[in-house]
């Protein structure tokens, strides 16, 4: 089995979540924090197309270990993110069924980004009825070729050779306006497909066989 370490991620993209279903998948908490990555951002779809939501972090002049990165509450980002999610997905088939499990993350404060991400990921795993709880790494593992911590990245996802770019389309509420948009947050899949989201992720994982 290849290294199945994943970086921490905020409402991770669909391809990331498919890898979470693999045996032995684990989230890295000892690596150096990397800006402009999924570690503190997610991409959703609204009436204007793809949109990034970014969690602000406290900057102390150095790139610390990811588990030590603190969330910055100087701006009301929680209220902005939740209102954006609500306006983007309140017309999807399953938003009403899942919103109550996610809303508390935008009402209570978490000191550390890693803890926030981990808890919301485990909540999503529970909503999908995967029977899994993701674990965290105990020590840093050096990066290697085809390392998922580096490959699953918002900048790389825009490239034609992104290995996880081609995905089987699923229903998206703004599909008639923009066509199918791959590599969005897993909440896009969950709100649009509901219980079928798990089956979609399981099938998607089989297409990533060379990385597992």
């Amino acid at each position: 089995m290849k290294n199945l370490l994943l970086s921490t991620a905020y409402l991770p993209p669909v391809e990331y979540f498919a890898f979470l279903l693999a045996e032995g998948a684990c989230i890295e908490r000892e690596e150096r924090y990397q800006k402009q990555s999924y570690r503190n951002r997610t991409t959703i779809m609204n009436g204007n197309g793809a949109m990034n939501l970014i969690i602000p972090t406290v900057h102390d002049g150095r790139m610390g270990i990811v588990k030590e990165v603190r969330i910055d509450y100087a701006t009301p980002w929680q209220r902005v993110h939740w209102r954006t999610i609500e306006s983007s997905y309140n017309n999807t088939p399953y938003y009403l069924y899942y919103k109550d499990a996610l809303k508390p993350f935008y009402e209570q404060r978490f000191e550390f980004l890693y803890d926030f991400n981990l808890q919301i990921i485990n909540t999503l795993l529970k909503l999908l009825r995967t029977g899994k709880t993701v674990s965290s790494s105990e020590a840093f593992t050096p990066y290697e070729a085809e390392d998922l911590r580096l490959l699953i990245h918002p900048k790389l996802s825009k490239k034609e050779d992104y290995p996880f770019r081609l995905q089987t389309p699923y229903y998206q509420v703004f599909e008639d306006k923009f066509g199918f948009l791959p590599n969005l947050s897993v909440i896009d899949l969950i709100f649009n497909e509901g219980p079928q989201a798990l089956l979609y992720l399981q099938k998607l994982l089989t297409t990533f066989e060379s990385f597992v």
Side-chain angles (χ1 to χ4, degrees):
M1 179 183 294
K2 292 187 177 181
N3 189 347
L4 278 179
L5 275 175
L6 295 156
S7 67
T8 185
Y10 170 44
L11 296 177
V14 169
E15 63 271 29
Y16 176 112
F17 230 81
F19 280 113
L20 278 182
L21 302 182
E23 182 180 354
C26 183
I27 297 180
E28 172 69 78
R29 69 176 179 182
E30 302 294 338
E31 67 174 354
R32 290 283 177 179
Y33 177 66
Q34 297 181 28
K35 298 178 181 178
Q36 299 183 339
S37 69
Y38 287 123
R39 290 162 181 80
N40 73 323
R41 72 181 57 206
T42 188
T43 305
I44 64 172
M45 183 197 288
N46 62 16
N48 296 314
M51 177 181 184
N52 290 327
L53 297 177
I54 302 171
I55 297 178
T57 57
V58 175
H59 299 286
D60 60 3
R62 62 186 180 88
M63 296 292 285
I65 303 300
V66 70
K67 68 179 181 181
E68 300 172 352
V69 173
R70 288 177 166 81
I71 297 175
D72 188 349
Y73 290 96
T75 60
W77 68 268
Q78 288 175 295
R79 183 168 72 246
V80 172
H81 283 207
W82 184 249
R83 286 181 176 176
T84 304
I85 290 170
E86 188 170 43
S87 64
S88 300
Y89 293 110
N90 62 358
N91 289 324
T92 57
Y94 295 95
Y95 176 75
L96 290 176
Y97 294 95
Y98 299 119
K99 68 170 186 172
D100 289 343
L102 296 179
K103 189 176 182 180
F105 288 94
Y106 299 91
E107 297 174 330
Q108 65 183 96
R109 291 193 175 193
F110 288 75
E111 182 177 4
F112 296 103
L113 176 68
Y114 185 89
D115 295 338
F116 176 87
N117 287 346
L118 184 64
Q119 289 198 38
I120 203 168
I121 283 173
N122 278 324
T123 295
L124 291 169
L125 286 169
K126 185 176 181 179
L127 289 178
L128 289 169
R129 299 184 179 181
T130 64
K132 295 192 64 172
T133 300
V134 70
S135 60
S136 303
S137 63
E138 295 297 331
F140 174 69
T141 300
Y143 300 116
E144 57 185 32
E146 297 189 336
D147 197 306
L148 296 177
R149 292 170 294 177
L150 303 177
L151 285 179
I152 301 178
H153 194 284
K155 289 184 177 179
L156 296 179
S157 69
K158 305 297 188 297
K159 296 183 177 181
E160 291 297 327
D161 61 350
Y162 183 56
F164 317 117
R165 184 174 177 80
L166 298 178
Q167 298 177 8
T168 302
Y170 57 85
Y171 171 77
Q172 291 177 331
V173 72
F174 295 108
E175 185 176 4
D176 57 340
K177 189 174 182 180
F178 303 107
F180 175 72
L181 296 184
N183 311 116
L184 296 179
S185 169
V186 70
I187 65 169
D188 185 84
L189 173 67
I190 292 172
F191 288 148
N192 282 301
E193 291 290 335
Q196 294 301 311
L198 178 57
L199 180 60
Y200 180 93
L201 291 167
Q202 290 170 334
K203 289 182 177 179
L204 186 60
L205 180 61
T206 65
T207 69
F208 300 154
E209 183 177 359
S210 63
F211 294 91
V212 177

